[in-house]
Amino acid sequence: MRFLEKHPNFILIWILAYMSALAPLATDMYLPSLGEVQASFATTQPRVQLTITAFFVAFACGQLVYGPVSDALGRRKPLAFGIALYTVTSFACALAPNIWMFVLLRFLQALGGCSGVVIARAIINDRFDLKEGASVLAVMMMVGALAPMFAPSIGGIVAKYAPWQAVFVLLGIFGALLLAMMYVGLPETLDEKSRAPMNIATVFENYFAILDDRRFVILVLTLALPLAALFAYITAASFVFQDFYGLSAQAFGVVFGINALGGTVFATVNAKIVRKISPYIVLHYGFITMLVCVGMLMAGSFLGFGFWWFEVFLFLTNGMVGFIAPNATVLAMDRFRQNSGSASGLLGMMQFALAGVVSFLAGALHATTPAKLAALMGACILSGYAVYLLLHRYTFRKMRRRAGLQGLYSND
């Protein structure tokens, strides 16, 4: 009790982190069971892969809906609806009679699960100031990084001892547990006076107004392009480590987990740093460090320096996302405290859509060697930094002086 008195937001922060990790679990825990699903439905591999594609499409597009709805109705009701939909469809996936019903249920599962991600960002914007919000987002990233680290292992254990349907029963239990946690520990953070009117015209007006804010768009691209590099790595990782470097499936799992841990470690460091230093300054130096790391990754890959060089600088490059993502997100969201839900939905959709395009490019360009993967990641990160530098109206030196006096960005 004394701990909770000293840390009154502890329960809220971990509920938000759980909300953001729920949807990634639905994909990563499912991956080890793909072959069994194909055999169970006696279908083709492309149709089974469609269950992943449908999930990603719904996850990206659904954020555009939950954002403005949560601005109009408050955070709890849309979130409860979304998580309930996720829970029900997770259990229903275990009962799907054929592959097409399974694809539809996966689409609906993502449509429910994405509510946690978009509304969590909005709640942080409602509840916390700029620096504390960056710290809370870093904690969310830490938990979010743990989800892909452990989810495939959990899914593999379940698949070893139970049919694939057990994975979705477990996901349904996770959803039900979140609903219970929300009921007990998640207050409404958007009061009646701050809510926006709900009609289609207003929704589009809000989205156009947000897109018209150049700094918001710059910050979203600054966030999305490094994350796209991370998606390229996830897409190509098994081919690079297993086919090129000859790692076993078990060794690959260990390496993949270690690389996921990097984001957790640096996000934890970021959570402490941003309480004392402007998120803008941390973002700037995080980007510089990321550029150096990916440059070393590319140089070593093209010169054939071997596995350890590649792994060390890949770990550091991916880890820098722990400094980029929470700070760019909180700075972008701080532009629109009045329409946090809409801003969060648009941010998530743009981020996920760009990451999906780069993930597709990783496959289309056959980025299955260290050199090709490093080049694609480098192109994403360099593009992100170019957007950050070339489209910004102020130099870093001016912004650094202003950051100490005015917080951060002031609205134009």
Side-chain angles (χ1 to χ4, degrees):
M1 292 299 292
R2 287 183 179 178
F3 176 83
L4 292 178
E5 288 175 2
K6 291 182 179 180
H7 302 84
N9 292 316
F10 178 82
I11 294 176
L12 172 62
I13 291 170
W14 283 96
I15 291 176
L16 295 176
Y18 188 4
M19 286 162 53
S20 67
L22 192 64
L25 282 173
T27 296
D28 296 331
M29 279 183 61
Y30 167 57
L31 293 178
S33 301
L34 285 175
E36 190 180 351
V37 170
Q38 181 180 346
S40 175
F41 288 124
T43 189
T44 62
Q45 187 176 12
R47 288 181 180 178
V48 173
Q49 289 175 326
L50 189 60
T51 65
I52 298 175
T53 303
F55 188 94
F56 286 159
V57 169
F59 189 86
C61 296
Q63 295 189 56
L64 291 175
V65 176
Y66 286 106
V69 169
S70 73
D71 283 339
L73 303 180
R75 311 304 183 199
R76 279 175 58 93
K77 290 180 181 178
L79 179 61
F81 171 82
I83 302 304
L85 178 62
Y86 173 94
T87 302
V88 170
T89 51
S90 294
F91 287 123
C93 281
L95 303 174
N98 56 61
I99 188 64
W100 298 115
M101 180 59 71
F102 188 53
V103 170
L104 175 60
L105 288 170
R106 285 282 290 170
F107 183 90
L108 294 174
Q109 184 190 37
L111 207 58
C114 73
S115 64
V117 177
V118 64
I119 295 177
R121 287 192 296 259
I123 289 174
I124 289 172
N125 216 37
D126 295 338
R127 190 70 179 261
F128 302 101
D129 63 23
L130 192 66
K131 289 187 177 180
E132 194 173 8
S135 180
V136 173
L137 272 167
V139 173
M140 284 179 54
M141 267 204 64
M142 179 181 69
V143 176
L146 291 174
M149 188 168 86
F150 292 112
S153 299
I154 296 171
I157 292 170
V158 173
K160 183 176 181 180
Y161 296 104
W164 64 265
Q165 289 90 341
V167 170
F168 290 93
V169 172
L170 188 57
L171 290 171
I173 292 172
F174 288 160
L177 179 60
L178 178 56
L179 282 172
M181 292 170 65
M182 287 164 45
Y183 181 78
V184 173
L186 186 66
E188 178 58 65
T189 59
L190 187 67
D191 58 53
E192 295 278 354
K193 294 182 294 183
S194 301
R195 296 181 186 181
M198 184 61 195
N199 60 70
I200 297 299
T202 303
V203 169
F204 279 102
E205 284 176 10
N206 287 339
Y207 278 138
F208 283 125
I210 293 168
L211 286 172
D212 194 48
D213 187 296
R214 190 175 67 168
R215 291 182 190 168
F216 177 87
V217 174
I218 289 170
L219 285 163
V220 171
L221 293 175
T222 298
L223 161 69
L225 284 161
L227 283 178
L230 184 62
F231 267 67
Y233 152 71
I234 292 171
T235 302
S238 63
F239 299 102
V240 171
F241 284 117
Q242 292 184 265
D243 296 346
F244 188 89
Y245 285 120
L247 270 62
S248 66
Q250 292 75 20
F252 166 67
V254 172
V255 170
F256 192 86
I258 290 172
N259 289 335
L261 185 62
T264 304
V265 171
F266 290 113
T268 304
V269 174
N270 181 78
K272 296 183 180 296
I273 290 176
V274 294
R275 292 184 179 274
K276 299 179 180 180
I277 303 174
S278 163
Y280 181 83
I281 294 174
V282 178
L283 173 64
H284 181 84
Y285 286 112
F287 234 133
I288 296 274
T289 307
M290 194 179 204
L291 283 171
V292 172
C293 291
V294 80
M296 299 297 284
L297 178 69
M298 292 171 65
S301 300
F302 282 101
L303 295 173
F305 282 178
F307 169 77
W308 286 110
W309 180 282
F310 181 82
E311 168 56 21
V312 167
F313 285 103
L314 181 66
F315 174 88
L316 293 173
T317 300
N318 289 340
M320 287 302 107
V321 173
F323 290 114
I324 304 296
N327 294 309
T329 299
V330 77
L331 291 172
M333 291 292 295
D334 192 57
R335 305 288 295 169
F336 295 96
R337 287 192 173 270
Q338 192 64 31
N339 296 305
S340 294
S342 296
S344 179
L346 197 57
L347 182 150
M349 189 280 293
M350 292 171 66
Q351 165 192 321
F352 208 85
L354 185 56
V357 169
V358 173
S359 181
F360 170 77
L361 286 175
L365 298 175
H366 303 288
T368 55
T369 65
K372 288 183 178 180
L373 176 58
L376 182 57
M377 292 179 68
C380 291
I381 294 166
L382 189 60
S383 298
Y385 193 61
V387 169
Y388 172 76
L389 287 181
L390 297 178
L391 299 184
H392 209 288
R393 188 167 60 177
Y394 299 102
T395 63
F396 169 66
R397 185 174 299 174
K398 290 179 181 177
M399 284 303 300
R400 183 170 56 185
R401 287 201 301 265
R402 293 181 60 195
L405 298 174
Q406 299 181 15
L408 228 20
Y409 300 124
S410 59
N411 289 325
D412 288 335

